[in-house]
Amino acid sequence: MQSHLFDQANLENEVSDRFALQNAQMLRVHLGDDVLATKGTMVAYQGQVTFEHEKSGSVGKLFKKVMTGEDVSLMRVRGQGDVFFASDAGYVHLVELTGDGLSVNFRNLLAFDSSVEWDIKRVEGAGLMSGGLFNTVLSGHGTVAIHTKGSPVVLDCSQQPTYVDVQACVGWSSSLAPKVVSSLNMRSMLRGGSGEAFQYAFHGPGFVVVQADEWVPPTTNS
């Protein structure tokens, strides 16, 4: 059988790294220690692997999930073998935490070492009009894999105020404390608005990651 499908670029990458890119849009994890991953992101695996629902880990964290509606739905992946993860054909990026932290939009989160600590935090100023905005904060030591819609840009927030559409914001260094601001005034609200109503406002030492497209805001069933 012959096809460009079998070109080297599409064959398995034989790498020794625990977290590695199979290609730009697919993550490959070689299991040893457990990995936590967003439910629904596993696309294939080889070997003896099990998938279990990951509980919140504490009453406080569970309370945050219920009260905020933040759909932090994780699974614990354990066993021996290789697991492939992908989501929305997004571009995968690996971040090594070395005692620092990263605040991530959960829709951009793919997988991370089970040694990494996680929590849910509310963004200041995210009131009822913005639907209440919450991020998943990852900290400690280990590898975090995120995915972005298109190629992202990383902006330095230390030099000047930086504003990012909330649906295009992938994440930021956890040392930053963004606020949610609105570009709408009452007149524009009555006329239907611009479609760019709320932004994260950053200013201080740190970075923010912005993707090349916006997530569709989640809908709520009435």
Side-chain angles (χ1 to χ4, degrees), residues 61-183:
K61 200 180 293 183
L62 176 62
F63 179 77
K64 290 179 183 179
K65 288 179 66 175
V66 173
M67 293 302 294
T68 65
E70 178 74 343
D71 187 20
V72 181
S73 187
L74 296 173
M75 59 184 177
R76 180 173 289 267
V77 185
R78 53 167 40 120
Q80 298 294 324
D82 295 285
V83 186
F84 299 83
F85 299 96
S87 181
D88 295 303
Y91 289 88
V92 180
H93 310 273
L94 301 180
V95 180
E96 293 293 333
L97 297 182
T98 55
D100 42 7
L102 180 69
S103 183
V104 182
N105 183 335
F106 186 72
R107 298 175 75 174
N108 293 98
L109 184 60
L110 198 60
F112 56 95
D113 276 315
S114 60
S115 58
V116 172
E117 299 180 2
W118 66 276
D119 201 356
I120 302 169
K121 290 192 176 181
R122 182 178 183 273
V123 180
E124 183 179 347
L128 183 62
M129 288 294 291
S130 56
L133 296 170
F134 302 85
N135 254 30
T136 303
V137 179
L138 305 161
S139 60
H141 293 79
T143 303
V144 176
I146 61 176
H147 66 97
T148 63
K149 299 180 72 175
S151 297
V153 62
V154 179
L155 301 177
D156 180 2
C157 304
S158 62
Q159 301 301 312
Q160 58 186 337
T162 303
Y163 301 87
V164 181
D165 184 278
V166 297
Q167 301 300 336
C169 188
V170 175
W172 57 84
S173 44
S174 61
S175 57
L176 290 171
K179 297 182 179 180
V180 176
V181 297
S182 174
S183 58

Side-chain angles (χ1 to χ4, degrees), residues 7-63:
D7 289 350
Q8 185 62 41
N10 295 328
L11 300 182
E12 293 180 53
N13 289 332
E14 298 297 333
V15 294
S16 58
D17 294 338
R18 175 169 157 80
F19 279 70
L21 299 186
Q22 171 60 35
N23 55 52
Q25 295 165 287
M26 188 176 295
L27 170 70
R28 178 177 183 169
V29 178
H30 183 69
L31 289 179
D33 294 335
D34 294 354
V35 167
L36 298 182
T38 304
K39 285 185 177 180
T41 59
M42 185 278 292
V43 295
Y45 67 92
Q46 297 173 310
Q48 302 299 316
V49 181
T50 60
F51 304 86
E52 304 170 359
H53 172 71
E54 179 68 6
K55 297 181 180 179
S56 297
S58 69
V59 174
K61 200 180 293 183
L62 176 62
F63 179 77

